[in-house]
């Protein structure tokens, strides 16, 4: 398994994740801790070193000593992360980028061309929407925002030039759920690629490639890194040829993850499973509290039996995640008040870290979507439920909603 870190790559010693030794299929948590992370062959370091270097010595012209030449093309620390992410998503190739948006941009340049048409969610992540509406559109890439929870609407929006369907599930911030398998069918009947932004679920809760997706996108800034200390992105694919094409563009466009960022992200990945379980436990308790609160008019969470995407979510997700949104019964001003009064829930953008965050999407993360098909209700509050002591989190919401 190991296209491993470290120079001593000729060692014949078998390693923990080498499937030729032990023909077992490792579980998620085992892969998170071991895939791409065999002890350093030179020193035995159990943690992949940070190869903070831009270039690698060559023994003779045309004979790099280690297989590495220049760190934009490949760096051992980034390779360790890439291999781990590929294993966690059940893919063959993982590629790590400087940010989620850098991953998205690189992907679009690789799989689409001017004149092509892309279907995007009508409640896409704001930055993704901005990339399509302000950047790739000027390059000639057309797009339509559709409700991807409605398979007939997706079929009706297809054009002969549609080459990509771009899915987020659950979506941000309304937590709509898209049936990945159903949309994969529509995409493939049309000869289009299915891209799934899996940032909200993380590979622990949902593995889109297993449901027919061609490409998984992550903002590893969120749950994958999980500690709000690094910005990063990733693409994961099963198809070797597509993987090669993306690797070519990763190198040609250059928006790579640096060694330290890759190392921090990999440090976060090792605890992804236990973190996600606690995010889910805490989110479930908060949903219970909010649904009974008189100052909350509606709670959005795919785990609620009356959520329109509940059955689909139950089919394709292990659990329902750590993101919860709700509408304030008192309207937009009340929503802003709640955000301002919260103490333990830090007021801030982003999500997926160990600490709980609260925000007002209409004025913060989704401000750029005002007046567009992606505008969100002004009385909406979004929570990224962290892994603090649950009673403290509930008490903070109690005082913020008083
Ligand atoms: C944050 C986010 C992105 C963009 O990732 P960056 O790392 O901020 O560039 C893309 N998609 C979703 C769903 C996100 O939450």
């Amino acid at each position: 398994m190991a296209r491993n870190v470290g120079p001593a790559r000729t060692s014949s010693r078998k390693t923990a994740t080498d499937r030729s030794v032990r023909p077992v299929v490792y579980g998620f948590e085992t892969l998170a801790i071991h895939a791409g992370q065999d002890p350093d062959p030179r020193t035995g370091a159990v943690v992949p070193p940070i190869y903070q270097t831009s270039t690698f010595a060559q023994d003779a012209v045309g004979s790099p000593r280690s297989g590495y030449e220049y760190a934009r093309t490949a760096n051992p620390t980034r390779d360790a992360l890439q291999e781990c992410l590929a294993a966690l998503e059940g893919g063959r190739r993982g590629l790590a980028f400087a940010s989620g948006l850098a991953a998205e941009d690189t992907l679009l340049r690789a799989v689409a061309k001017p004149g092509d048409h892309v279907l995007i969610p009508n409640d896409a992540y704001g930055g993704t929407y901005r990339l399509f509406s302000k950047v790739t559109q000027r390059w000639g890439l057309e797009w339509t925002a559709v409700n991807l929870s409605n398979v007939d609407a997706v079929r009706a929006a297809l054009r002969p030039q549609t080459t990509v369907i771009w899915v987020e599930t659950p979506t941000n911030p309304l937590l709509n759920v898209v049936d990945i398998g159903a949309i994969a069918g529509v995409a493939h009947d049309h000869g289009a690629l299915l891209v799934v932004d899996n940032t909200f679920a993380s590979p622990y809760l949902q593995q889109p490639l297993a449901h027919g997706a061609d490409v998984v996108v992550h903002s590893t800034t969120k749950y994958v890194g999980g500690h709000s200390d690094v910005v990063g992105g990733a693409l994961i694919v099963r198809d070797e040829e597509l993987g090669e094409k993306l690797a070519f563009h990763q190198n040609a466009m250059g928006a790579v993850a640096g060694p330290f960022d890759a190392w921090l992200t990999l440090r976060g990945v090792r605890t992804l499973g236990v973190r996600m379980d606690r995010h889910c436990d805490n989110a479930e308790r908060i949903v219970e509290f909010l649904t009974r609160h008189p100052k909350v008019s509606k709670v959005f969470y795919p785990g609620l039996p009356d959520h329109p995407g509940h059955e689909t979510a139950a089919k394709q997700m292990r659990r329902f995640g750590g993101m919860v949104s709700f509408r304030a019964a008192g309207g937009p001003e009340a929503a802003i008040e709640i955000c301002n009064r919260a103490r333990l829930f830090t007021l801030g953008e982003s999500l997926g870290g160990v600490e709980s965050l609260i925000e007002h999407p209409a004025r913060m993360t989704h401000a750029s979507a005002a007046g567009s098909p992606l505008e969100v209700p002004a009385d909406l509050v979004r929570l990224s439920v962290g892994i603090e002591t649950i009673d403290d989190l509930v008490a903070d919401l109690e005082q913020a909603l008083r």
Side-chain angles (χ1 to χ4, degrees), residues 192-356:
L193 281 183
L194 179 67
V195 174
V196 176
D197 181 334
N198 202 28
T199 299
F200 265 44
S202 89
Y204 180 70
L205 298 181
Q206 172 174 283
Q207 295 174 316
L209 298 178
H211 297 282
D214 300 292
V215 184
V216 171
V217 174
H218 276 288
S219 168
T220 56
T221 314
K222 318 295 170 53
Y223 287 107
V224 170
H227 294 74
S228 306
D229 52 10
V230 60
V231 171
L235 301 174
I236 299 106
V237 297
R238 211 177 19 213
D239 184 74
E240 298 275 8
E241 206 176 312
L242 181 55
E244 273 307 309
K245 194 181 205 178
L246 295 176
F248 171 84
H249 281 78
Q250 182 193 41
N251 180 48
M253 294 174 67
V256 295
F260 185 53
D261 286 2
W263 186 89
L264 274 175
T265 305
L266 193 54
R267 176 185 163 99
V269 168
R270 292 186 199 111
T271 54
L272 181 60
V274 289
R275 281 189 285 110
M276 290 315 294
D277 271 328
R278 182 59 68 89
H279 282 296
C280 293
D281 290 345
N282 284 359
E284 286 167 14
R285 281 280 305 278
I286 281 169
V287 166
E288 222 177 274
F289 165 79
L290 291 173
T291 46
R292 284 194 257 109
H293 203 285
K295 293 196 174 160
V296 172
S297 58
K298 186 171 167 60
V299 179
F300 300 85
Y301 189 65
L304 286 168
D306 64 352
H307 183 286
H310 177 67
E311 269 180 42
T312 304
K315 187 177 71 179
Q316 68 192 17
M317 296 177 77
R318 189 199 294 248
R319 295 182 70 180
F320 302 103
M323 298 301 296
V324 178
S325 293
F326 66 91
R327 294 181 80 157
E333 289 314 311
I336 290 168
E337 268 298 288
I338 294 163
C339 292
N340 287 339
R341 271 203 297 256
R343 290 285 165 265
L344 196 51
F345 276 84
T346 302
L347 180 63
E349 304 198 353
S350 196
L351 59 112
V354 292
E355 66 291 305
S356 293

